[in-house]
């Protein structure tokens, strides 16, 4: 590529960047950067959310296990009260 064509490419690139600045591209860039920073600082990460969900699932499983044990205990009491020795 000749020096003249490179100079035209550089000039066109600079012109395009200046045109984007005039149209507000720089403002959008600031907005996107600001939203990204807000998201990083105020929202939980995926790993934290996953850990929270897994601990909730473990608590739910423990609660279900306790409910099953209580139901078995109640069945045993009902059986013995109906059919056990008098």
């Amino acid at each position: 590529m000749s020096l003249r064509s490179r100079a035209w490419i550089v000039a066109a690139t600079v012109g395009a960047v200046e045109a984007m600045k005039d149209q507000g591209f720089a403002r959008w860039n600031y907005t996107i950067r600001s939203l990204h920073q807000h998201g990083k600082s105020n929202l939980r990460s995926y790993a934290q959310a996953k850990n929270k969900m897994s601990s909730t699932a473990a608590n739910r499983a423990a609660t279900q296990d306790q409910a099953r044990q209580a139901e078995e205990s109640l069945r045993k009491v009902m059986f013995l009260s109906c059919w056990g020795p008098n």
Side-chain angles (χ1 to χ4, degrees):
M1 207 183 289
S2 72
L3 186 60
R4 180 177 268 177
S5 62
R6 286 184 188 174
W8 276 106
I9 291 173
V10 169
T13 304
V14 169
V17 168
E18 290 299 322
M20 284 193 277
K21 282 183 181 178
D22 291 342
Q23 292 176 1
F25 181 74
R27 288 181 297 205
W28 278 107
N29 192 19
Y30 171 77
T31 305
I32 292 169
R33 216 178 312 136
S34 175
L35 288 172
H36 181 257
Q37 185 64 31
H38 178 74
K40 276 177 53 176
S41 63
N42 292 332
L43 299 176
R44 285 190 295 203
S45 70
Y46 175 73
Q48 288 172 334
K50 187 176 177 183
N51 286 342
K52 177 85 171 156
M53 287 173 43
S54 66
S55 66
T56 303
N59 290 342
R60 189 178 308 130
T63 303
Q64 288 175 346
D65 189 41
Q66 289 174 345
R68 185 186 55 76
Q69 287 176 351
E71 187 176 345
E72 282 297 317
S73 177
L74 180 63
R75 272 194 194 140
K76 189 182 287 184
V77 167
M78 291 298 290
F79 178 79
L80 289 175
S81 68
C82 292
W83 301 101
N86 289 337

